[in-house]
Amino acid sequence: MGNHVSEKNKLFRKENEDRARLLIKCPDQPGIVAAVSSFLRDNGANIIESSQYSANPEGGNFFIRMEFECPGLRGKRTLLETAFSDIAQQFNMEYDFLYVTDIKKTAIFVSKEPHCLMELLWEWQNGELIMDIECIISNYEDSREAVESLGIPFYYIPANKDIRKQVEAQQLEILKKHNIELIILARYMQILTPEFVSHYPNQIINIHHSFLPAFIGARPYERAYERGVKLIGATSHYVTNDLDEGPIIEQGVERVNHRDKVVDLKRIGRQIERSVLARAVKWHLQDRVIVDGNKTIVF
Amino acid sequence: MGNHVSEKNKLFRKENEDRARLLIKCPDQPGIVAAVSSFLRDNGANIIESSQYSANPEGGNFFIRMEFECPGLRGKRTLLETAFSDIAQQFNMEYDFLYVTDIKKTAIFVSKEPHCLMELLWEWQNGELIMDIECIISNYEDSREAVESLGIPFYYIPANKDIRKQVEAQQLEILKKHNIELIILARYMQILTPEFVSHYPNQIINIHHSFLPAFIGARPYERAYERGVKLIGATSHYVTNDLDEGPIIEQGVERVNHRDKVVDLKRIGRQIERSVLARAVKWHLQDRVIVDGNKTIVF
Amino acid sequence: MGNHVSEKNKLFRKENEDRARLLIKCPDQPGIVAAVSSFLRDNGANIIESSQYSANPEGGNFFIRMEFECPGLRGKRTLLETAFSDIAQQFNMEYDFLYVTDIKKTAIFVSKEPHCLMELLWEWQNGELIMDIECIISNYEDSREAVESLGIPFYYIPANKDIRKQVEAQQLEILKKHNIELIILARYMQILTPEFVSHYPNQIINIHHSFLPAFIGARPYERAYERGVKLIGATSHYVTNDLDEGPIIEQGVERVNHRDKVVDLKRIGRQIERSVLARAVKWHLQDRVIVDGNKTIVF
Amino acid sequence: MGNHVSEKNKLFRKENEDRARLLIKCPDQPGIVAAVSSFLRDNGANIIESSQYSANPEGGNFFIRMEFECPGLRGKRTLLETAFSDIAQQFNMEYDFLYVTDIKKTAIFVSKEPHCLMELLWEWQNGELIMDIECIISNYEDSREAVESLGIPFYYIPANKDIRKQVEAQQLEILKKHNIELIILARYMQILTPEFVSHYPNQIINIHHSFLPAFIGARPYERAYERGVKLIGATSHYVTNDLDEGPIIEQGVERVNHRDKVVDLKRIGRQIERSVLARAVKWHLQDRVIVDGNKTIVF
């Protein structure tokens, strides 16, 4: 199965070897689109998809994501990036060239509940989530068999709040070894320290099992039940130092009623969690998500 | 138009003169349904619709709503109610016979934003909301014309937190005069005192412009914007002494994105508010909502 | 894993050994609920859940589903059923006692696309779908490994329209051998003959990859793309002799837009298909679905 | 109220006097975005919003909608349009400059059911639908009072299929007199002839009360009821010569169940119809809808 995915990703790389994305953030002013699109044209690139957003036409930031096709891209990367620095300076841009063939090296963290991990593995095998899953890290052994059967390394690191420091040290070592670029917390029920988070800014995606900002923190389904809500939800967000306060990428809800006990809310919630997390990860992998302060722009 | 609705309600009364609902709450035990349904059969009533709910089959409360048709009902009301008291005592029931022709006398409170009021008036004219709208009370004059053109009394009572006591005294007087049984807060932006609320337990329905318990209190759209949520919502609930903490009847959400400013959230939210409030009111008018502690059962 | 499910189902049987459902269809008349609920009470059964529906209060059919708990049920089955025949005769009832511990023996048919099969296996392992999966039948070998790893027999029977008769003969033999009570067509892309269907009336559940009655028949996603619809859907229904015309159990939709090619519609559609089919199967397994002519009542 | 809207539209015109939209369709090739955005920059325009779509990057059509702000726009219209013709010729473009202050002159057709008309009038008064409603045409007198109270001319033209020709002649005369640019069929239950439609290509928006292509033609709710569907819908589309076959702009659905009779489907459907039509009209008014063959691109 793992081989099967490698084959798919190989094919994907081949089909997309000339494909890249340019993400830009800069103060809004006339002429940005003209400058960038002329640059791409002059360098032989064809714009395939383009989305832009002005936070505030009178004096805010401007954001743009352009996906383009450029024959012979591999050999022209340095050239392109160097040539673009002039425009970037002129418009005071923060920017990033992202090459579609640079498939993101990903680690998935999971605790006991496997449904989010399973959804990610499933969509990865289907070719819906284009990523290289380098490893799974868990504080439980439960998922080992399913993970290893796909040829993915599984690391069991028991964790609790008393040994947080040494646990994170172990985890960081593994992440470094695998050159991880994206960490997905697929119902990993341990809090990460600011120190850990600081190594991966806007690179850790969490799924919280409530419709944030309702029911921040522990036991959201129990609290939703107590409150008697008529809809429950899930939220996928980037992890920052503030618990469940990071930039939201995606949310979903489902209807519940008075007959639904906590166990039913959890069951219904699992379906929301897995689809919300899968969408958020997909958008991140396609470089569609730009963090702007404590919010996201999803192009 | 007002006459038009009177005609409709008159017809409705005629068509439903033999129709009633029996709502029961009691400790769960075997034999309740048998006792109640046998009672109805023996009194010549046919059960049209029945919904029941056991909070916890092992030792919780049991709730049932039966809608029945009983020829000659008007003349048999006292008889029925008296005869039922035996069963009620045996099973330790709280219960209510509600006659469909006793259309609920309703007052609507509104402030500046008219969309929820307009939706209620519209669905009332359509025959979707069967109620007698006795009066509209507002702290603004804006809706007077639309209301009076339908032949409904409009009371303008300026309000602010410094004169709350005398305002509520005036309002209570009007409500008593009209024998009001249901108060709908259709975006009425003043807080009601516990004293006021105590006169109408589980008879005041509010629409809060957020997905509770997220964004309790003031300026929910502004706060939703600040937080960068991807869905916004509205919540209809019974008013209790705790602000926005009463039993939830219905909730709804819509998708938003990074392009939506506060003004857009408000616009999208208006659609959610009006449909959520209209559904909650409809269920209340049909005696489908039972308050159980701080939750609702919606049959 | 298979063992794991057997354990779960064993536990489920133990917890539900006193639980049954009584499904009734009869001409509407006063006294039915009283008669049935008195019968249950007199036989020591406590009604846990009850739903009823009058197709037309003035002279149509009446349907009721009662779930009840009856201590010592196993020993009382024959007694109950015999005793009930009097009431059944009096009210001219069609009825069924369904014992929750009689877990339905199920066969799943699948062709090349595995997503619906995978969802069913997954929810079965989770304990969401309480059924005994006796076998998988496929006209492709693709799913063999995943199926056999769960300890489920996998039968590969190549099929095409020229050999339909012998294929179905083989399938029927397998189904008989396994005493199959429910057949799920989880994207099985062969048409079944009326002869085959006649063996399993209202016992074959199909998932059609469109929002029926739109796009009946082949290639629905291609046709949805051609038509430029803004929502796509899936439909789960019982199989009858008329292609895609059987009683609908459940439907779902998702939003699409002009950017979505056929391949995107298929991808989005897969998510709808798997959740719609899983819901329909769940309701069937819980005896919540009553077929009434060409429609279903879902209690 | 009519005056009230005139005031709003006057203010809107003032705020948007420098705002326009450029819509382009042309064969896809590199350099289009660069050429158009450079042109706008060189003419002092700032791009506020931009959406593009390649039907097929290898050899299909390319579509783009740019909304821009250009100081002193009123005096520069001819200049801009003339200057652009060079680029248009070079890239073989079909294009349109649309000035936001050219508020579209609109006629609404309605028969007996008023809910869609009411929603449009309501959202127009709210400032959500920026259009000049020049007249309402109806084959019933029912809506006259509501329409005239807003200061909008109401034309009563009885219609049936036998007098279709003279009816349409009358209607066309009125439409010409008012220089109508958009016709909204807000549940107008008469079929329009190809001759009539030919005067307003892609300028007539209809609401059909089903989820097309299901239930094309008459009595869709009755047929949905007969079929036993679990979701009902509505579709807004441009009118072409083929009944209910024109390019779809927007669709919506709601859940129904076995308890819902035809009258309930109609009631639930009314809510879908009014919101779906209002969204479609809004997008048309904002020049977001491009017709591409028998489909729409909605930017």
Side-chain angles (χ1 to χ4, degrees):
Chain A
M1 281 276 214
N3 286 339
H4 167 65
V5 177
S6 306
E7 279 309 308
K8 271 201 184 170
N9 283 355
K10 213 164 148 184
L11 181 65
F12 177 86
R13 275 194 178 85
K14 197 165 171 49
E15 287 172 356
N16 288 278
E17 62 186 3
D18 293 336
R19 188 69 76 106
R21 296 150 190 160
L22 174 54
L23 267 64
I24 298 169
K25 172 184 173 178
C26 65
D28 204 357
Q29 61 169 285
I32 303 169
V33 179
V36 177
S37 56
S38 300
F39 168 84
L40 288 174
R41 181 198 52 199
D42 297 345
N43 284 276
N46 191 19
I47 301 169
I48 300 299
E49 192 187 325
S50 173
S51 304
Q52 61 178 78
Y53 168 63
S54 300
N56 179 355
E58 291 139 24
N61 277 321
F62 177 84
F63 301 85
I64 193 162
R65 175 190 184 277
M66 283 185 167
E67 185 156 336
F68 60 89
E69 192 84 26
C70 182
L73 182 60
R74 182 155 290 278
K76 291 160 87 175
R77 285 189 182 193
T78 321
L79 196 74
L80 265 184
E81 297 189 24
T82 311
F84 191 71
S85 63
D86 281 355
I87 293 174
Q89 207 171 345
Q90 181 193 340
F91 287 94
N92 200 13
M93 290 171 173
E94 295 171 37
Y95 70 100
D96 229 335
F97 280 87
L98 296 142
Y99 302 94
V100 175
T101 52
D102 292 353
I103 294 179
K104 289 181 178 56
K105 291 177 190 303
T106 303
I108 304 176
F109 283 41
V110 66
S111 291
K112 244 187 140 41
E113 295 236 44
H115 56 281
C116 286
L117 171 64
M118 289 305 170
E119 183 77 12
L120 294 174
L121 292 176
W122 171 253
E123 292 293 12
W124 170 71
Q125 290 174 75
N126 281 343
E128 287 309 311
L129 297 177
I130 306 292
M131 55 185 172
D132 286 333
I133 304 183
E134 298 291 322
C135 61
I136 312 292
I137 294 178
S138 181
N139 51 336
Y140 289 89
E141 283 281 16
D142 303 54
S143 306
R144 180 185 290 277
E145 194 186 318
V147 166
E148 291 186 343
S149 78
L150 296 168
I152 303 170
F154 179 89
Y155 297 94
Y156 168 54
I157 305 178
N160 63 59
K161 64 177 194 292
D162 299 328
I163 54 168
R164 191 158 288 156
K165 222 164 190 168
Q166 62 240 56
V167 167
E168 291 193 348
Q170 272 182 276
Q171 293 171 336
L172 282 169
E173 197 179 334
I174 294 165
L175 298 172
K176 295 300 175 202
K177 193 181 84 184
H178 286 289
N179 298 309
I180 294 304
E181 297 159 298
L182 170 66
I183 298 168
I184 306 170
L185 307 183
R187 296 298 306 270
Y188 181 67
M189 307 310 284
Q190 297 287 317
I191 290 171
L192 301 176
T193 66
E195 150 69 10
F196 183 98
V197 174
S198 70
H199 288 85
Y200 294 96
N202 301 332
Q203 291 174 291
I204 310 176
I205 296 178
N206 185 38
I207 179 75
H208 182 73
H209 40 315
S210 85
F211 184 86
L212 289 175
F215 309 122
I216 289 180
R219 307 177 62 252
Y221 290 125
E222 283 81 356
R223 288 151 65 206
Y225 176 74
E226 289 305 320
R227 182 63 188 91
V229 294
K230 299 298 185 186
L231 294 167
I232 58 166
T235 304
S236 190
H237 63 93
Y238 288 112
V239 176
T240 59
N241 291 340
D242 300 311
L243 181 65
D244 303 334
E245 296 279 9
I248 294 170
I249 306 169
E250 173 63 334
Q251 301 188 286
V253 291
E254 280 293 335
R255 189 163 276 275
V256 296
N257 66 43
H258 60 272
R259 291 183 205 282
D260 295 309
K261 308 294 183 204
V262 171
V263 65
D264 301 303
L265 302 191
K266 286 182 176 175
R267 177 178 50 78
I268 296 165
R270 280 199 292 268
Q271 304 286 345
I272 319 173
E273 292 164 33
R274 49 191 244 195
S275 62
V276 165
L277 178 60
R279 284 201 296 277
V281 167
K282 181 168 187 170
W283 296 337
H284 178 93
L285 293 174
Q286 295 179 339
D287 306 309
R288 295 189 178 280
V289 191
I290 300 181
V291 174
D292 178 31
N294 200 42
K295 299 184 189 183
T296 63
I297 295 156
V298 181
F299 278 136
Chain B
M1 284 275 214
N3 286 339
H4 167 66
V5 177
S6 306
E7 280 308 308
K8 272 200 185 170
N9 283 355
K10 214 164 148 184
L11 181 65
F12 177 87
R13 275 194 178 85
K14 198 164 171 50
E15 287 173 355
N16 288 278
E17 63 187 3
D18 294 336
R19 188 69 76 106
R21 294 149 191 162
L22 174 53
L23 267 65
I24 298 169
K25 171 183 173 178
C26 65
D28 204 356
Q29 60 170 286
I32 302 169
V33 179
V36 177
S37 55
S38 300
F39 168 84
L40 289 174
R41 181 198 52 198
D42 296 345
N43 284 278
N46 191 18
I47 300 169
I48 301 300
E49 192 186 325
S50 173
S51 304
Q52 61 178 79
Y53 167 63
S54 301
N56 179 355
E58 293 140 21
N61 277 321
F62 176 84
F63 301 85
I64 193 161
R65 175 191 184 275
M66 284 186 166
E67 184 156 336
F68 60 89
E69 192 86 26
C70 182
L73 181 61
R74 181 154 291 278
K76 293 160 87 176
R77 285 189 182 193
T78 320
L79 197 73
L80 265 183
E81 297 189 22
T82 310
F84 191 72
S85 62
D86 281 354
I87 293 174
Q89 208 170 344
Q90 180 192 342
F91 288 94
N92 201 14
M93 290 173 173
E94 295 171 37
Y95 70 100
D96 228 336
F97 280 87
L98 296 143
Y99 303 93
V100 175
T101 52
D102 291 353
I103 294 179
K104 290 182 177 55
K105 291 178 190 302
T106 304
I108 304 176
F109 284 41
V110 66
S111 289
K112 245 188 139 41
E113 295 234 44
H115 56 280
C116 285
L117 171 64
M118 289 305 171
E119 183 78 10
L120 294 173
L121 293 176
W122 171 252
E123 292 293 11
W124 171 71
Q125 291 174 74
N126 281 343
E128 288 308 313
L129 297 177
I130 306 293
M131 56 185 171
D132 286 333
I133 304 182
E134 297 291 323
C135 61
I136 311 292
I137 295 178
S138 181
N139 53 334
Y140 289 88
E141 283 281 15
D142 304 55
S143 305
R144 180 184 290 277
E145 193 187 318
V147 166
E148 292 186 342
S149 77
L150 296 168
I152 303 169
F154 179 90
Y155 297 94
Y156 167 56
I157 306 178
N160 64 59
K161 65 177 195 289
D162 300 328
I163 55 169
R164 191 158 286 158
K165 223 165 188 166
Q166 63 239 56
V167 166
E168 291 193 349
Q170 270 184 278
Q171 292 171 337
L172 282 168
E173 198 181 334
I174 294 166
L175 298 172
K176 296 298 174 201
K177 195 181 82 183
H178 286 288
N179 298 309
I180 293 304
E181 297 159 296
L182 171 65
I183 298 168
I184 306 169
L185 307 183
R187 296 297 307 269
Y188 181 66
M189 307 309 284
Q190 296 287 318
I191 290 170
L192 302 176
T193 66
E195 150 70 10
F196 183 98
V197 173
S198 71
H199 288 84
Y200 294 95
N202 299 333
Q203 291 174 291
I204 310 176
I205 295 177
N206 184 39
I207 179 75
H208 182 72
H209 40 315
S210 85
F211 184 86
L212 289 175
F215 310 122
I216 289 179
R219 308 178 62 253
Y221 291 125
E222 283 80 355
R223 288 151 65 207
Y225 176 75
E226 289 305 321
R227 183 62 187 89
V229 295
K230 300 298 184 185
L231 293 166
I232 58 166
T235 303
S236 190
H237 63 94
Y238 288 112
V239 175
T240 60
N241 293 339
D242 298 311
L243 181 65
D244 302 335
E245 295 280 10
I248 293 171
I249 307 168
E250 173 64 333
Q251 301 189 286
V253 292
E254 281 292 336
R255 189 162 275 276
V256 296
N257 66 43
H258 61 270
R259 293 183 204 283
D260 295 309
K261 307 296 183 203
V262 171
V263 66
D264 300 305
L265 301 191
K266 286 181 176 176
R267 175 177 51 76
I268 295 164
R270 279 199 294 267
Q271 304 286 345
I272 318 173
E273 293 165 31
R274 49 192 245 195
S275 63
V276 165
L277 179 60
R279 283 201 297 276
V281 167
K282 180 168 188 171
W283 296 336
H284 178 93
L285 294 173
Q286 295 178 340
D287 306 310
R288 294 189 179 281
V289 191
I290 300 181
V291 173
D292 177 31
N294 200 42
K295 300 185 187 183
T296 63
I297 295 156
V298 181
F299 278 136
Chain C
M1 282 276 215
N3 286 339
H4 167 67
V5 177
S6 306
E7 280 308 308
K8 272 200 185 170
N9 283 356
K10 213 164 149 184
L11 181 65
F12 177 87
R13 274 193 179 88
K14 197 166 171 49
E15 287 172 354
N16 289 278
E17 62 187 3
D18 293 336
R19 188 69 76 106
R21 296 147 191 163
L22 173 53
L23 267 63
I24 298 169
K25 171 183 173 178
C26 65
D28 204 357
Q29 59 169 286
I32 302 170
V33 179
V36 177
S37 54
S38 300
F39 168 85
L40 288 174
R41 182 198 51 198
D42 296 346
N43 284 277
N46 191 19
I47 300 169
I48 301 299
E49 193 186 323
S50 172
S51 304
Q52 61 179 77
Y53 168 63
S54 301
N56 179 355
E58 292 140 23
N61 277 321
F62 176 85
F63 301 85
I64 193 161
R65 175 191 185 275
M66 282 185 169
E67 184 156 337
F68 60 89
E69 191 86 26
C70 183
L73 181 60
R74 183 154 289 278
K76 293 161 86 176
R77 286 189 182 194
T78 321
L79 196 75
L80 265 184
E81 297 188 25
T82 312
F84 191 72
S85 62
D86 281 355
I87 293 174
Q89 208 170 344
Q90 180 191 342
F91 288 95
N92 202 11
M93 289 173 174
E94 295 171 37
Y95 69 100
D96 228 337
F97 281 88
L98 296 142
Y99 303 94
V100 174
T101 52
D102 292 353
I103 294 179
K104 289 181 176 57
K105 291 178 190 303
T106 304
I108 305 176
F109 283 41
V110 66
S111 290
K112 245 187 139 40
E113 295 235 43
H115 56 280
C116 285
L117 171 64
M118 289 305 170
E119 183 77 10
L120 295 173
L121 292 176
W122 171 252
E123 292 292 12
W124 171 71
Q125 291 175 73
N126 280 342
E128 289 308 312
L129 298 177
I130 306 293
M131 55 185 173
D132 285 333
I133 304 182
E134 298 291 323
C135 60
I136 311 293
I137 295 177
S138 182
N139 52 335
Y140 289 88
E141 282 282 15
D142 304 53
S143 306
R144 180 185 291 276
E145 194 187 319
V147 166
E148 292 187 341
S149 78
L150 296 168
I152 304 169
F154 179 89
Y155 298 94
Y156 167 55
I157 306 177
N160 64 58
K161 62 178 195 294
D162 300 328
I163 54 168
R164 191 159 288 160
K165 222 164 189 169
Q166 63 239 56
V167 166
E168 290 193 349
Q170 270 184 276
Q171 292 171 338
L172 282 169
E173 197 181 332
I174 294 165
L175 297 172
K176 296 299 174 202
K177 193 182 82 183
H178 287 289
N179 299 309
I180 294 304
E181 299 160 296
L182 170 65
I183 298 168
I184 306 170
L185 306 183
R187 298 298 305 270
Y188 181 66
M189 307 310 284
Q190 297 287 317
I191 290 171
L192 302 176
T193 66
E195 149 70 9
F196 183 98
V197 172
S198 70
H199 288 84
Y200 294 96
N202 299 333
Q203 291 175 290
I204 310 176
I205 296 178
N206 184 39
I207 179 75
H208 182 73
H209 40 315
S210 85
F211 184 87
L212 290 175
F215 309 123
I216 289 179
R219 305 177 63 253
Y221 290 126
E222 284 79 357
R223 288 150 68 207
Y225 175 75
E226 289 306 321
R227 182 60 188 91
V229 295
K230 300 298 185 186
L231 293 167
I232 58 166
T235 303
S236 189
H237 62 94
Y238 287 112
V239 175
T240 59
N241 292 339
D242 299 310
L243 181 65
D244 303 334
E245 296 280 9
I248 293 171
I249 307 169
E250 173 63 334
Q251 301 189 287
V253 292
E254 281 292 335
R255 189 161 276 274
V256 296
N257 66 44
H258 60 271
R259 293 182 204 282
D260 294 310
K261 308 295 183 202
V262 171
V263 66
D264 301 304
L265 302 190
K266 286 181 176 175
R267 177 176 49 77
I268 295 165
R270 279 198 294 268
Q271 304 287 345
I272 319 173
E273 292 164 32
R274 50 192 244 194
S275 62
V276 165
L277 178 60
R279 283 201 297 276
V281 168
K282 180 167 189 173
W283 297 337
H284 179 93
L285 293 174
Q286 295 179 340
D287 306 309
R288 296 189 177 282
V289 191
I290 300 181
V291 173
D292 178 31
N294 200 41
K295 299 186 189 182
T296 63
I297 295 156
V298 181
F299 278 137
Chain D
M1 283 276 214
N3 285 340
H4 167 66
V5 177
S6 306
E7 279 308 309
K8 272 201 186 171
N9 283 356
K10 213 165 149 184
L11 181 65
F12 177 86
R13 275 194 178 85
K14 198 166 171 49
E15 287 173 355
N16 288 279
E17 63 186 3
D18 295 336
R19 189 68 76 107
R21 295 147 192 164
L22 174 54
L23 267 63
I24 298 169
K25 172 184 172 178
C26 65
D28 203 356
Q29 59 169 283
I32 302 171
V33 179
V36 177
S37 55
S38 301
F39 169 84
L40 288 174
R41 180 198 52 198
D42 297 345
N43 284 277
N46 190 21
I47 300 169
I48 301 299
E49 193 186 324
S50 173
S51 304
Q52 61 178 77
Y53 168 63
S54 300
N56 179 353
E58 291 139 25
N61 277 321
F62 176 85
F63 301 85
I64 193 162
R65 175 191 185 275
M66 283 185 168
E67 183 155 338
F68 60 88
E69 191 86 27
C70 181
L73 181 61
R74 182 154 289 279
K76 292 160 86 175
R77 286 189 182 195
T78 322
L79 196 73
L80 264 184
E81 297 188 24
T82 312
F84 191 72
S85 62
D86 281 355
I87 294 173
Q89 208 171 344
Q90 180 192 340
F91 288 93
N92 201 12
M93 288 172 174
E94 294 172 38
Y95 69 100
D96 228 336
F97 281 87
L98 295 142
Y99 302 95
V100 174
T101 53
D102 292 353
I103 294 177
K104 288 182 177 57
K105 291 178 190 303
T106 304
I108 304 175
F109 283 42
V110 66
S111 290
K112 244 187 139 42
E113 295 235 44
H115 55 280
C116 286
L117 172 64
M118 288 306 168
E119 183 78 11
L120 295 174
L121 292 176
W122 171 252
E123 292 292 13
W124 171 71
Q125 291 175 74
N126 281 342
E128 288 309 310
L129 297 177
I130 306 293
M131 56 185 171
D132 286 333
I133 304 182
E134 297 291 324
C135 61
I136 311 292
I137 294 178
S138 182
N139 51 336
Y140 289 89
E141 282 282 14
D142 304 53
S143 306
R144 179 185 291 277
E145 194 186 317
V147 166
E148 291 186 343
S149 78
L150 296 168
I152 304 169
F154 179 90
Y155 298 94
Y156 168 56
I157 306 177
N160 63 59
K161 64 178 195 293
D162 299 327
I163 55 169
R164 191 158 288 158
K165 222 165 188 167
Q166 63 240 55
V167 166
E168 290 192 348
Q170 271 183 276
Q171 292 171 338
L172 282 168
E173 197 181 331
I174 293 165
L175 298 171
K176 296 298 176 203
K177 193 181 84 182
H178 286 289
N179 298 308
I180 294 304
E181 298 158 296
L182 170 66
I183 298 168
I184 306 170
L185 307 182
R187 297 297 307 269
Y188 181 67
M189 307 309 284
Q190 296 288 317
I191 290 170
L192 302 175
T193 66
E195 150 69 10
F196 184 97
V197 173
S198 70
H199 288 85
Y200 295 95
N202 301 332
Q203 291 174 290
I204 310 177
I205 295 178
N206 185 39
I207 180 75
H208 182 73
H209 40 316
S210 85
F211 184 87
L212 289 175
F215 309 122
I216 289 179
R219 307 179 61 253
Y221 291 126
E222 284 81 356
R223 288 151 66 207
Y225 176 75
E226 289 306 321
R227 182 63 188 89
V229 295
K230 300 298 184 187
L231 294 167
I232 57 166
T235 303
S236 190
H237 63 94
Y238 288 111
V239 176
T240 59
N241 292 340
D242 299 311
L243 182 64
D244 303 334
E245 296 279 10
I248 293 171
I249 307 169
E250 173 63 335
Q251 301 188 287
V253 292
E254 280 292 335
R255 188 162 277 274
V256 296
N257 66 44
H258 60 271
R259 293 183 203 282
D260 294 309
K261 308 293 182 204
V262 171
V263 66
D264 301 304
L265 302 190
K266 286 182 176 174
R267 175 177 51 77
I268 295 165
R270 280 200 293 268
Q271 305 286 345
I272 318 174
E273 293 165 30
R274 50 191 244 195
S275 62
V276 165
L277 179 60
R279 283 202 297 276
V281 167
K282 180 167 188 171
W283 296 336
H284 179 92
L285 294 173
Q286 295 178 341
D287 305 310
R288 295 189 177 281
V289 191
I290 300 181
V291 173
D292 177 33
N294 200 41
K295 299 186 190 181
T296 62
I297 294 156
V298 181
F299 278 137

